């Protein structure tokens, strides 16, 4: 029973990462140490200069229900990219503001970045309170409250702390734990994804990568891929806070020892994934917001630096409804065209910075990682707006409608929904799985079926004597818009539901019966009557058509029709028998012979010259009524 309780507890356990953010020298690293007893300044340069350059990590708290890690985010302006990489994977931010200085420039920039990255949970720690008196602290609080208006921290709880004397430390720690216990963890259902922010080697172990698990889970021994390069690796060992683990979960800070790759093959910004369903792209449709105090104009196709996950890549911003941007309160729908491929999915948050002069422009989220080239104008904005607001079902429908038919893997890429969520929606009658691996829309099947119906109806009206339309010819023009597998499925589905009929390679409407056009029916009947009357000693087949007044342009179709309907049996290119005459001749010959016969026997029984006899016997062979064995024929 105790083992079962532990198992249940493990299944229900949630993992979170919190971030310390704020201006340089406001006490973030000291506060992290006071909370965790871990000094996150590891580099010699950091110790000497007393600033954080790289991301620092430490375990904060763990019980049966929850595990919390801390990232100490660098506050110096020069280290903004590390700060963005750290914040991108966190669930709650503690904004640290020194009591003796208040809100400073990097504090404001961090607030902007947190807003753009969609961080929804925040606490405020006023640090170094032992350096000022209580009256000054109240002034600082008022100043902070004013600065935090409109941010994630508006209305957030305040805690007064001092890392040296440990005042307020336990109160802050309890508040963090309580807040996160009420918060849902990251998505553990989706495919595993870990943006790499550190790559190093361990003697005797090899290459190790570290990062925060964005989503999904990873197991020891699991085969993974390094993206965007697509290198295949294996998770040899997994560590969480320097302790070996069999698994790592969404929200955990994790180090993974990889086999099959060297340190030189990897770099910060690569992404470790378990699935091929993620999209690698250089063109991304996005929704952005800009900072309120933008110093310089943002112009059409201006170079930008994109920070997404731990990736930092150059590109250009492309607008579709303007050529420049200075101030804007709402979201702007636009596109980023990048110089290098990145791995991303719908909903991912990012920051945009100007490379020179360096400035945070704004940030936003990915609407569609598979951007196309669009025309400048309102129509494109309207299309992007539709993409932006779509519900899960609408996104699935739109993705399938665009692709017409699509595998589950490709659908995961295009919708940014996990497999479990997709499978729930795909059970709806609006979606159809065919050939065991591809999805399409019921409305598309109906539309294609109607199109095929109309084509066949039109064909039958102009080609009344043909069995139907050759399937390849029927579907040829439609293959520009739909896959062959989908078209084949619709035809087979139409046959199953009684809409279509198939004979050999010919497809027809079920209620269609091939027939001679009314205007030529009488002449055809007369021709058949004469042909039947002549028995087995017929004239050239062509003469019957000309004598009956049937025009040359009808001759080929009528000959084929009469053969298919068995009104006539062709002996060769010159001669043909009426169908009844041919059947009677076969029966007469069968009665007059045994199991086998020779040409001479047939001539005597049917009273035919060689001119007719040889073509007649060869026709028996081609119809598989007889089989020639040396000089004899054997009935089949």
């Amino acid at each position: 029973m105790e083992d079962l309780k532990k198992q249940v507890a493990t299944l229900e356990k949630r993992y979170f990462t919190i971030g310390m953010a704020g201006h340089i020298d406001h006490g973030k690293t000291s506060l992290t140490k006071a909370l965790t007893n871990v000094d996150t300044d590891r580099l010699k340069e950091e110790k000497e200069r007393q600033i954080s350059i790289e991301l620092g990590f430490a375990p904060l708290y763990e019980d049966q229900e929850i595990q919390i890690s801390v990232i100490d985010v660098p506050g110096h302006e020069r280290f903004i990219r590390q700060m963005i990489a750290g914040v991108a994977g966190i669930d709650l931010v503690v904004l640290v503001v020194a009591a003796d200085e208040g809100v400073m420039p990097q504090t404001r920039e961090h607030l902007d970045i947190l807003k753009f990255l969609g961080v929804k949970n925040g606490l405020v720690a006023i640090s170094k309170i032992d350096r000022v008196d209580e009256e000054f602290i109240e002034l600082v609080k008022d100043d902070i409250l004013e600065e935090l208006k409109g941010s994630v921290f508006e209305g957030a709880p305040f805690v007064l702390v001092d890392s040296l004397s440990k005042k307020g430390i336990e109160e802050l720690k309890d508040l963090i734990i309580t807040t996160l216990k009420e918060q849902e963890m990251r998505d553990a259902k989706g495919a595993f994804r870990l943006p790499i922010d550190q790559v190093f080697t361990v003697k005797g172990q090899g290459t190790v990568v570290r990062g925060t698990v964005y989503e999904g889970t990873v197991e020891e021994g699991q085969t993974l891929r390094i993206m965007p390069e697509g290198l295949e690796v294996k998770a040899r060992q997994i560590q969480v806070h320097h302790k070996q683990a069999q698994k790592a979960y969404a929200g955990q800070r994790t180090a993974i020892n990889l086999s099959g790759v060297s340190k030189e093959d990897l770099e910060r910004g690569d992404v470790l994934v378990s699935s091929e369903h993620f999209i690698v792209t250089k063109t991304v449709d996005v929704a952005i917001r800009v900072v309120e105090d933008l110093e310089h104009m943002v112009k059409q196709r201006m170079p930008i630096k994109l920070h997404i996950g731990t990736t930092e890549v150059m590109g250009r911003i492309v607008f579709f409804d303007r050529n420049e941007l200075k101030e804007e309160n709402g979201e702007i729908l636009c596109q980023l065209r990048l110089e290098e491929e990145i791995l991303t999915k719908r909903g991912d948050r990012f920051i945009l910075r100007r490379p020179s002069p360096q400035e945070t422009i704004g940030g936003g989220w990915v609407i569609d990682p598979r951007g196309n080239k669009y025309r400048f104008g309102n129509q494109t904005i309207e299309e992007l707006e539709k993409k932006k607001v779509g519900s899960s079902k609408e996104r699935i429908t739109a993705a399938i409608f665009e692709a017409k038919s699509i595998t589950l893997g490709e659908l995961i890429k295009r919708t940014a929904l996990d497999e479990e969520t997709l499978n729930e929606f795909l059970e709806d009658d609006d979606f159809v799985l065919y050939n065991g691996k591809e999805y399409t829309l019921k409305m598309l099947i109906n539309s294609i079926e109607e199109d095929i119906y109309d084509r066949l109806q039109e064909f039958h009206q102009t080609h009344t004597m043909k069995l139907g339309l050759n399937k390849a010819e029927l579907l040829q023009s439609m293959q520009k818009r739909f896959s062959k597998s989908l078209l084949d499925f619709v035809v087979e589905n139409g046959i199953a539901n009684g809409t279509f009929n198939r004979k050999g390679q010919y497809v027809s409407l079920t209620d269609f019966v091939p027939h001679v056009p009314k205007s030529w029916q009488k002449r055809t009947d007369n021709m058949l009557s004469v042909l039947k009357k002549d028995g087995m000693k017929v004239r050239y087949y062509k003469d019957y058509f000309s004598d009956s007044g049937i025009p040359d342009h009808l001759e080929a179709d009528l000959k084929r029709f009469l053969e298919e309907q068995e009104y006539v049996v062709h002996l060769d290119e010159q001669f043909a028998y009426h169908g009844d005459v041919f059947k009677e001749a076969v029966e007469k010959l069968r009665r007059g012979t045994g199991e086998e016969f020779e040409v001479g026997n047939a001539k005597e029984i049917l009273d035919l010259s060689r001119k007719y006899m040889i073509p007649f016997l060869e026709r028996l062979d081609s119809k598989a009524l007889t089989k020639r064995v040396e000089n004899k024929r054997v009935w089949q």
Side-chain angles (χ1 to χ4, degrees):
M1 180 62 73
E2 193 62 34
D3 288 343
L4 181 60
K5 285 182 180 176
K6 286 181 182 177
Q7 188 177 3
V8 171
T10 303
L11 288 171
E12 294 177 346
K13 194 163 186 174
R14 295 176 296 151
Y15 304 92
F16 297 101
T17 302
I18 72 167
M20 297 286 180
H23 193 75
I24 182 176
D25 201 29
H26 274 212
K28 297 186 301 299
T29 303
S30 298
L31 181 56
T32 301
K33 185 177 181 181
L35 285 166
T36 65
N37 294 318
V38 174
D39 186 355
T40 56
D41 277 350
R42 306 175 318 283
L43 302 179
K44 181 181 177 184
E45 186 183 357
E46 290 176 335
K47 296 286 188 187
E48 291 173 352
R49 296 172 59 188
Q50 294 186 328
I51 61 171
S52 296
I53 298 171
E54 292 290 343
L55 302 172
F57 304 93
L60 173 70
Y61 176 79
E62 183 172 11
D63 61 20
Q64 292 253 326
E65 182 184 345
I66 196 168
Q67 182 191 74
I68 305 171
S69 308
V70 181
I71 297 180
D72 173 17
V73 177
H76 196 283
E77 192 274 336
R78 282 174 53 198
F79 308 126
I80 196 76
R81 72 183 182 92
Q82 282 92 336
M83 183 264 172
I84 292 168
V87 172
I90 67 173
D91 304 289
L92 177 145
V93 173
V94 178
L95 183 68
V96 183
V97 183
D100 58 347
E101 286 191 311
V103 175
M104 298 293 283
Q106 267 68 60
T107 311
R108 295 187 186 96
E109 186 166 23
H110 283 203
L111 284 171
D112 282 335
I113 289 169
L114 293 170
K115 176 178 71 177
F116 296 138
L117 291 176
V119 176
K120 294 182 173 64
N121 250 347
L123 309 174
V124 181
I126 300 179
S127 63
K128 305 185 181 182
I129 58 172
D130 284 357
R131 295 191 182 187
V132 296
D133 57 35
E134 288 186 16
E135 189 175 336
F136 192 81
I137 289 174
E138 290 303 313
L139 292 173
V140 170
K141 282 178 71 174
D142 290 341
D143 179 41
I144 293 171
L145 282 170
E146 187 62 31
E147 288 287 348
L148 296 185
K149 282 182 179 177
S151 77
V152 66
F153 295 95
E154 184 175 1
F158 279 67
V159 181
L160 304 178
V161 298
D162 191 279
S163 300
L164 296 178
S165 66
K166 301 293 179 74
K167 286 179 184 176
I169 296 299
E170 285 305 313
E171 183 186 349
L172 175 60
K173 188 172 182 177
D174 290 344
L175 183 59
I176 291 168
I177 295 167
T178 303
T179 302
L180 287 175
K181 281 195 173 183
E182 295 174 356
Q183 185 172 324
E184 290 187 10
M185 68 177 286
R186 288 171 178 265
D187 186 4
K189 295 186 298 183
F192 168 74
R193 176 167 57 143
L194 181 141
I196 296 168
D197 55 48
Q198 291 176 343
V199 184
F200 52 95
T201 54
V202 175
K203 191 173 181 181
Q205 297 295 321
T207 305
V208 177
V209 298
R210 186 180 281 146
T212 301
V213 182
Y214 265 34
E215 57 192 330
T217 59
V218 62
E219 295 185 38
E220 195 173 275
Q222 188 173 349
T223 299
L224 305 167
R225 286 185 180 275
I226 301 289
M227 303 299 285
E229 293 85 357
L231 301 172
E232 190 172 290
V233 295
K234 187 166 281 189
R236 182 186 291 162
Q237 283 186 337
I238 298 171
Q239 283 194 356
V240 178
H241 295 309
H242 307 292
K243 293 180 182 177
Q244 192 162 340
Q246 293 296 312
K247 265 188 174 186
Y249 298 84
Q252 281 189 316
R253 182 71 190 166
T254 306
I256 303 178
N257 175 212
L258 301 176
S259 62
V261 69
S262 67
K263 179 178 180 291
E264 289 69 33
D265 294 326
L266 307 178
E267 61 182 5
R268 179 197 195 114
D270 286 340
V271 186
L272 189 61
V273 299
S274 64
S275 168
E276 297 180 5
H277 297 154
F278 290 104
I279 293 173
V280 172
T281 180
K282 293 171 76 173
T283 307
V284 188
D285 296 338
V286 297
I288 68 167
R289 293 180 183 271
V290 294
V291 297
E292 291 181 9
D293 53 350
L294 195 62
E295 290 185 25
H296 303 90
M297 187 82 71
V298 178
K299 295 186 176 180
Q300 176 74 292
R301 299 183 182 273
M302 185 188 85
I304 49 91
K305 186 177 285 187
L306 170 70
H307 297 267
I308 186 164
T310 58
T311 302
E312 178 182 349
V313 60
M314 293 294 296
R316 294 185 181 274
I317 189 166
V318 178
F319 298 115
F320 301 106
D321 59 350
R322 67 195 73 204
N323 286 309
E324 57 185 32
L325 173 66
K326 184 68 171 73
E327 291 180 357
E328 180 69 51
N329 293 325
E331 276 190 324
I332 301 148
L333 304 182
C334 56
Q335 190 176 81
L336 305 178
R337 295 182 185 170
L338 308 173
E339 293 180 3
E340 301 171 43
E341 288 186 324
I342 62 166
L343 180 142
T344 188
K345 64 186 283 189
R346 179 184 168 91
D348 282 355
R349 295 276 180 165
F350 60 84
I351 298 296
L352 293 180
R353 302 200 84 223
R354 186 191 304 273
S356 180
Q358 291 191 9
E359 175 189 19
T360 297
I361 297 168
W365 60 282
V366 174
I367 297 173
D368 186 353
R370 286 196 171 189
N372 291 313
K373 289 195 173 180
Y374 313 120
R375 292 180 181 274
F376 187 93
N378 288 332
Q379 187 176 348
T380 293
I381 297 298
E382 288 171 8
E383 289 301 316
L384 292 176
E385 190 67 41
K386 288 177 186 175
K387 283 188 183 183
K388 173 190 158 188
V389 300
S391 66
S392 295
K393 185 174 180 180
E394 286 169 342
R395 280 155 53 192
I396 296 168
T397 302
I400 298 178
F401 186 79
E402 183 181 350
K404 309 308 180 195
S405 58
I406 192 170
T407 62
L408 181 63
E410 190 64 23
L411 203 50
I412 291 171
K413 288 182 181 180
R414 293 202 183 193
T415 61
L417 296 170
D418 62 78
E419 187 171 345
E420 186 175 332
T421 302
L422 275 170
N423 283 329
E424 287 176 13
F425 281 101
L426 290 170
E427 289 179 4
D428 193 292
D429 289 342
D430 291 340
F431 307 110
V432 177
L433 175 67
Y434 72 96
N435 71 19
K437 61 182 180 180
E438 290 181 274
Y439 287 91
T440 190
L441 299 173
K442 191 173 183 179
M443 59 170 284
L444 278 176
I445 291 174
N446 293 339
S447 175
I448 295 169
E449 189 174 283
E450 286 175 14
D451 196 355
I452 292 173
Y453 187 96
D454 291 343
R455 287 165 186 257
L456 288 175
Q457 192 171 52
E458 184 180 345
F459 182 82
H460 291 329
Q461 288 171 356
T462 53
H463 300 86
T464 62
M465 293 182 289
K466 290 189 176 180
L467 285 175
L469 187 54
N470 186 293
K471 183 182 172 185
E473 187 180 344
L474 171 65
L475 303 180
Q476 185 176 16
S477 64
M478 301 177 75
Q479 285 181 357
K480 294 176 182 177
R481 292 182 294 137
F482 306 104
S483 69
K484 185 178 182 300
S485 64
L486 177 56
L487 293 172
D488 285 341
F489 171 76
V490 175
V491 171
E492 295 303 318
N493 188 63
I495 292 168
N497 65 31
T499 304
F500 307 134
N501 190 27
R502 182 183 55 213
K503 191 170 185 179
Q505 75 267 37
Y506 298 106
V507 180
S508 66
L509 296 179
T510 305
D511 57 1
F512 171 72
V513 177
H515 59 278
V516 177
K518 286 184 180 179
S519 55
W520 300 105
Q521 184 68 58
K522 190 172 182 179
R523 297 189 187 192
T524 303
D525 290 343
N526 290 336
M527 182 199 75
L528 289 173
S529 179
V530 173
L531 183 65
K532 185 175 183 179
K533 185 178 178 181
D534 286 348
M536 299 188 72
K537 297 177 181 178
V538 292
R539 295 174 288 143
Y540 291 123
Y541 191 26
K542 186 173 180 61
D543 292 344
Y544 291 94
F545 283 84
S546 57
D547 289 351
S548 300
I550 296 172
D552 291 345
H553 72 271
L554 278 181
E555 186 176 320
D557 283 351
L558 186 54
K559 279 183 177 179
R560 181 171 52 248
F561 168 77
L562 294 173
E563 174 83 12
E564 288 169 349
Q565 299 301 316
E566 298 184 349
Y567 292 129
V568 170
V569 177
H570 292 207
L571 300 184
D572 55 22
E573 293 183 1
Q574 298 183 64
F575 300 110
Y577 286 163
H578 190 283
D580 293 345
V581 172
F582 182 82
K583 288 177 188 175
E584 289 170 4
V586 172
E587 288 304 313
K588 186 176 181 181
L589 182 60
R590 194 186 287 271
R591 288 194 304 269
T593 60
E595 292 183 1
E596 58 183 35
F597 62 91
E598 295 181 358
V599 175
N601 303 132
K603 285 176 68 177
E604 288 177 14
I605 295 168
L606 297 177
D607 188 25
L608 285 178
S609 66
R610 190 173 185 84
K611 179 174 74 170
Y612 298 113
M613 193 73 257
I614 299 304
F616 175 78
L617 293 178
E618 288 177 349
R619 191 71 176 103
L620 293 182
D621 294 341
S622 67
K623 278 181 164 288
L625 294 171
T626 59
K627 182 179 179 181
R628 184 173 179 177
V629 179
E630 295 179 352
N631 294 325
K632 296 180 180 181
R633 278 180 168 77
V634 180
W635 290 104
Q636 298 297 296

